[in-house]
Amino acid sequence: MISAVVEPGQVLAGKFRVERVLGQGGMGVVVAAHHLQLGQRVALKFLLAEAMQHPEAVERFLREARAAVRLRSEHVGRVIDVGTLDTGAPYIVMEFLEGIDLSQQLQRSGPLPVMTAVDFVLQACEALAEAHSLQIVHRDLKPANLFLTRGPDGSPLVKVLDFGISKATTGDNDFSLTRTSAVMGSPGYMSPEQLRSTRDVDARSDIWALGVVLYELVSGRQPFSGESITELALRVAMDPTPALYVAYAPPGFEAAVHRCLEKD
């Protein structure tokens, strides 16, 4: 249970008073916290004790901070600090965001108008263009990792989250996993080449994922599905991309989506 991990009012690392738990997965917890020295609300993400037994989980966690801190775009969730809790677990301090992710938006409201979906995805493209210029490939783009908040002027602002399985394609920092057998990413959004080998992908896999996201945002469903990852991989590799039937789509919209989803 979450309450066994951290409690509201608890002070972590001597300076973060927990307000509430925002989310918990198998490996980590994200809490809203008050920075006692700065008087600022932040999001604090840290690993669970059991995750500390897996070096790859720790490396993936630290990789998120390394990748995000290099990016200056307003469309990336900003990393403020990193550190280690008394338990030895690493933590990341991130800007606190008010809003919902696009997966939640879909569940609440159903498919989005085409121009709204295009606006949101173009904002994500701003962040990815910078990441790709630094040879960082996200590898896990999906609606749940696109967070919808508000900018200073009140306009909708999309931020790309979770660079935890990002990969540097060149340079000295090898962010790729050592275990080639690990399936990294969310299968429904993975390109044919990523389903074959997560280690060998480049920026084009992020473009594929954006195509899947855009397809889903306007239709409410992903272009490819299967009862198992094997069936899904075969459909992605071999089946033609289903036609996209959307009312009030501007000329060229479907062609742009299908261009993202080119198998070759």
Side-chain angles (χ1 to χ4, degrees), residues 108-125:
R108 288 186 183 183
S109 307
L112 305 179
V114 169
M115 296 313 295
T116 300
V118 168
D119 175 44
F120 291 168
V121 170
L122 285 177
Q123 290 188 49
C125 286

PDB file of all heavy atoms in Angstrom, residues 108-125:
ATOM      1  N   ARG A 108     -11.529  10.798 -20.475  1.00  0.00           N
ATOM      2  CA  ARG A 108     -12.575  11.697 -19.993  1.00  0.00           C
ATOM      3  C   ARG A 108     -13.471  12.196 -21.117  1.00  0.00           C
ATOM      4  O   ARG A 108     -14.686  12.242 -20.977  1.00  0.00           O
ATOM      5  CB  ARG A 108     -11.938  12.911 -19.306  1.00  0.00           C
ATOM      6  CG  ARG A 108     -11.318  12.625 -17.958  1.00  0.00           C
ATOM      7  CD  ARG A 108     -10.844  13.923 -17.317  1.00  0.00           C
ATOM      8  NE  ARG A 108     -10.166  13.700 -16.049  1.00  0.00           N
ATOM      9  CZ  ARG A 108      -9.722  14.673 -15.268  1.00  0.00           C
ATOM     10  NH1 ARG A 108      -9.896  15.939 -15.607  1.00  0.00           N
ATOM     11  NH2 ARG A 108      -9.102  14.390 -14.125  1.00  0.00           N
ATOM     12  N   SER A 109     -12.839  12.594 -22.216  1.00  0.00           N
ATOM     13  CA  SER A 109     -13.578  13.336 -23.240  1.00  0.00           C
ATOM     14  C   SER A 109     -13.713  12.619 -24.571  1.00  0.00           C
ATOM     15  O   SER A 109     -14.416  13.099 -25.456  1.00  0.00           O
ATOM     16  CB  SER A 109     -12.896  14.695 -23.468  1.00  0.00           C
ATOM     17  OG  SER A 109     -12.735  15.389 -22.253  1.00  0.00           O
ATOM     18  N   GLY A 110     -13.032  11.493 -24.753  1.00  0.00           N
ATOM     19  CA  GLY A 110     -13.075  10.819 -26.033  1.00  0.00           C
ATOM     20  C   GLY A 110     -12.127  11.481 -27.031  1.00  0.00           C
ATOM     21  O   GLY A 110     -11.317  12.343 -26.665  1.00  0.00           O
ATOM     22  N   PRO A 111     -12.191  11.080 -28.303  1.00  0.00           N
ATOM     23  CA  PRO A 111     -11.285  11.617 -29.319  1.00  0.00           C
ATOM     24  C   PRO A 111     -11.306  13.134 -29.387  1.00  0.00           C
ATOM     25  O   PRO A 111     -12.341  13.773 -29.174  1.00  0.00           O
ATOM     26  CB  PRO A 111     -11.820  10.999 -30.618  1.00  0.00           C
ATOM     27  CG  PRO A 111     -12.502   9.740 -30.177  1.00  0.00           C
ATOM     28  CD  PRO A 111     -13.109  10.058 -28.839  1.00  0.00           C
ATOM     29  N   LEU A 112     -10.154  13.709 -29.692  1.00  0.00           N
ATOM     30  CA  LEU A 112     -10.012  15.159 -29.750  1.00  0.00           C
ATOM     31  C   LEU A 112     -10.292  15.671 -31.159  1.00  0.00           C
ATOM     32  O   LEU A 112     -10.100  14.950 -32.143  1.00  0.00           O
ATOM     33  CB  LEU A 112      -8.587  15.554 -29.355  1.00  0.00           C
ATOM     34  CG  LEU A 112      -8.064  15.067 -28.004  1.00  0.00           C
ATOM     35  CD1 LEU A 112      -6.626  15.535 -27.813  1.00  0.00           C
ATOM     36  CD2 LEU A 112      -8.944  15.590 -26.882  1.00  0.00           C
ATOM     37  N   PRO A 113     -10.727  16.921 -31.283  1.00  0.00           N
ATOM     38  CA  PRO A 113     -10.793  17.535 -32.612  1.00  0.00           C
ATOM     39  C   PRO A 113      -9.407  17.508 -33.260  1.00  0.00           C
ATOM     40  O   PRO A 113      -8.382  17.623 -32.566  1.00  0.00           O
ATOM     41  CB  PRO A 113     -11.232  18.976 -32.309  1.00  0.00           C
ATOM     42  CG  PRO A 113     -11.888  18.898 -30.968  1.00  0.00           C
ATOM     43  CD  PRO A 113     -11.176  17.831 -30.209  1.00  0.00           C
ATOM     44  N   VAL A 114      -9.390  17.343 -34.568  1.00  0.00           N
ATOM     45  CA  VAL A 114      -8.119  17.185 -35.276  1.00  0.00           C
ATOM     46  C   VAL A 114      -7.156  18.328 -34.982  1.00  0.00           C
ATOM     47  O   VAL A 114      -5.980  18.114 -34.671  1.00  0.00           O
ATOM     48  CB  VAL A 114      -8.366  17.062 -36.797  1.00  0.00           C
ATOM     49  CG1 VAL A 114      -7.046  17.181 -37.559  1.00  0.00           C
ATOM     50  CG2 VAL A 114      -9.029  15.730 -37.111  1.00  0.00           C
ATOM     51  N   MET A 115      -7.619  19.565 -35.056  1.00  0.00           N
ATOM     52  CA  MET A 115      -6.708  20.694 -34.887  1.00  0.00           C
ATOM     53  C   MET A 115      -6.172  20.786 -33.456  1.00  0.00           C
ATOM     54  O   MET A 115      -5.046  21.222 -33.230  1.00  0.00           O
ATOM     55  CB  MET A 115      -7.388  21.995 -35.295  1.00  0.00           C
ATOM     56  CG  MET A 115      -7.774  22.046 -36.780  1.00  0.00           C
ATOM     57  SD  MET A 115      -6.442  21.510 -37.904  1.00  0.00           S
ATOM     58  CE  MET A 115      -5.221  22.786 -37.616  1.00  0.00           C
ATOM     59  N   THR A 116      -6.981  20.353 -32.484  1.00  0.00           N
ATOM     60  CA  THR A 116      -6.498  20.314 -31.105  1.00  0.00           C
ATOM     61  C   THR A 116      -5.408  19.264 -30.952  1.00  0.00           C
ATOM     62  O   THR A 116      -4.359  19.516 -30.349  1.00  0.00           O
ATOM     63  CB  THR A 116      -7.656  19.999 -30.133  1.00  0.00           C
ATOM     64  OG1 THR A 116      -8.655  21.004 -30.256  1.00  0.00           O
ATOM     65  CG2 THR A 116      -7.165  19.941 -28.697  1.00  0.00           C
ATOM     66  N   ALA A 117      -5.659  18.076 -31.510  1.00  0.00           N
ATOM     67  CA  ALA A 117      -4.663  17.008 -31.439  1.00  0.00           C
ATOM     68  C   ALA A 117      -3.371  17.418 -32.142  1.00  0.00           C
ATOM     69  O   ALA A 117      -2.270  17.158 -31.642  1.00  0.00           O
ATOM     70  CB  ALA A 117      -5.225  15.729 -32.067  1.00  0.00           C
ATOM     71  N   VAL A 118      -3.497  18.056 -33.286  1.00  0.00           N
ATOM     72  CA  VAL A 118      -2.311  18.508 -34.037  1.00  0.00           C
ATOM     73  C   VAL A 118      -1.526  19.531 -33.225  1.00  0.00           C
ATOM     74  O   VAL A 118      -0.295  19.470 -33.139  1.00  0.00           O
ATOM     75  CB  VAL A 118      -2.729  19.093 -35.399  1.00  0.00           C
ATOM     76  CG1 VAL A 118      -1.562  19.828 -36.045  1.00  0.00           C
ATOM     77  CG2 VAL A 118      -3.237  17.980 -36.320  1.00  0.00           C
ATOM     78  N   ASP A 119      -2.223  20.450 -32.591  1.00  0.00           N
ATOM     79  CA  ASP A 119      -1.548  21.450 -31.756  1.00  0.00           C
ATOM     80  C   ASP A 119      -0.765  20.769 -30.642  1.00  0.00           C
ATOM     81  O   ASP A 119       0.408  21.089 -30.388  1.00  0.00           O
ATOM     82  CB  ASP A 119      -2.577  22.415 -31.170  1.00  0.00           C
ATOM     83  CG  ASP A 119      -1.952  23.402 -30.190  1.00  0.00           C
ATOM     84  OD1 ASP A 119      -0.874  23.953 -30.500  1.00  0.00           O
ATOM     85  OD2 ASP A 119      -2.532  23.624 -29.112  1.00  0.00           O
ATOM     86  N   PHE A 120      -1.387  19.814 -29.966  1.00  0.00           N
ATOM     87  CA  PHE A 120      -0.718  19.131 -28.858  1.00  0.00           C
ATOM     88  C   PHE A 120       0.514  18.372 -29.347  1.00  0.00           C
ATOM     89  O   PHE A 120       1.581  18.413 -28.716  1.00  0.00           O
ATOM     90  CB  PHE A 120      -1.681  18.161 -28.173  1.00  0.00           C
ATOM     91  CG  PHE A 120      -2.790  18.831 -27.410  1.00  0.00           C
ATOM     92  CD1 PHE A 120      -3.876  18.093 -26.940  1.00  0.00           C
ATOM     93  CD2 PHE A 120      -2.763  20.196 -27.137  1.00  0.00           C
ATOM     94  CE1 PHE A 120      -4.893  18.696 -26.221  1.00  0.00           C
ATOM     95  CE2 PHE A 120      -3.781  20.819 -26.422  1.00  0.00           C
ATOM     96  CZ  PHE A 120      -4.854  20.059 -25.967  1.00  0.00           C
ATOM     97  N   VAL A 121       0.375  17.663 -30.467  1.00  0.00           N
ATOM     98  CA  VAL A 121       1.503  16.871 -30.973  1.00  0.00           C
ATOM     99  C   VAL A 121       2.620  17.773 -31.492  1.00  0.00           C
ATOM    100  O   VAL A 121       3.804  17.472 -31.312  1.00  0.00           O
ATOM    101  CB  VAL A 121       1.023  15.884 -32.052  1.00  0.00           C
ATOM    102  CG1 VAL A 121       2.201  15.220 -32.763  1.00  0.00           C
ATOM    103  CG2 VAL A 121       0.138  14.806 -31.420  1.00  0.00           C
ATOM    104  N   LEU A 122       2.272  18.891 -32.110  1.00  0.00           N
ATOM    105  CA  LEU A 122       3.312  19.824 -32.562  1.00  0.00           C
ATOM    106  C   LEU A 122       4.095  20.389 -31.373  1.00  0.00           C
ATOM    107  O   LEU A 122       5.313  20.620 -31.479  1.00  0.00           O
ATOM    108  CB  LEU A 122       2.690  20.964 -33.376  1.00  0.00           C
ATOM    109  CG  LEU A 122       2.264  20.608 -34.795  1.00  0.00           C
ATOM    110  CD1 LEU A 122       1.584  21.810 -35.456  1.00  0.00           C
ATOM    111  CD2 LEU A 122       3.449  20.159 -35.640  1.00  0.00           C
ATOM    112  N   GLN A 123       3.418  20.612 -30.251  1.00  0.00           N
ATOM    113  CA  GLN A 123       4.131  21.064 -29.063  1.00  0.00           C
ATOM    114  C   GLN A 123       5.116  19.992 -28.592  1.00  0.00           C
ATOM    115  O   GLN A 123       6.252  20.295 -28.215  1.00  0.00           O
ATOM    116  CB  GLN A 123       3.141  21.409 -27.949  1.00  0.00           C
ATOM    117  CG  GLN A 123       2.319  22.660 -28.225  1.00  0.00           C
ATOM    118  CD  GLN A 123       1.495  23.060 -27.013  1.00  0.00           C
ATOM    119  OE1 GLN A 123       1.997  23.136 -25.902  1.00  0.00           O
ATOM    120  NE2 GLN A 123       0.212  23.321 -27.235  1.00  0.00           N
ATOM    121  N   ALA A 124       4.679  18.730 -28.624  1.00  0.00           N
ATOM    122  CA  ALA A 124       5.589  17.639 -28.266  1.00  0.00           C
ATOM    123  C   ALA A 124       6.765  17.585 -29.231  1.00  0.00           C
ATOM    124  O   ALA A 124       7.904  17.293 -28.832  1.00  0.00           O
ATOM    125  CB  ALA A 124       4.834  16.308 -28.265  1.00  0.00           C
ATOM    126  N   CYS A 125       6.499  17.898 -30.500  1.00  0.00           N
ATOM    127  CA  CYS A 125       7.568  17.896 -31.498  1.00  0.00           C
ATOM    128  C   CYS A 125       8.650  18.927 -31.180  1.00  0.00           C
ATOM    129  O   CYS A 125       9.832  18.719 -31.492  1.00  0.00           O
ATOM    130  CB  CYS A 125       6.996  18.168 -32.884  1.00  0.00           C
ATOM    131  SG  CYS A 125       6.105  16.786 -33.608  1.00  0.00           S
TER     132      CYS A 125
END
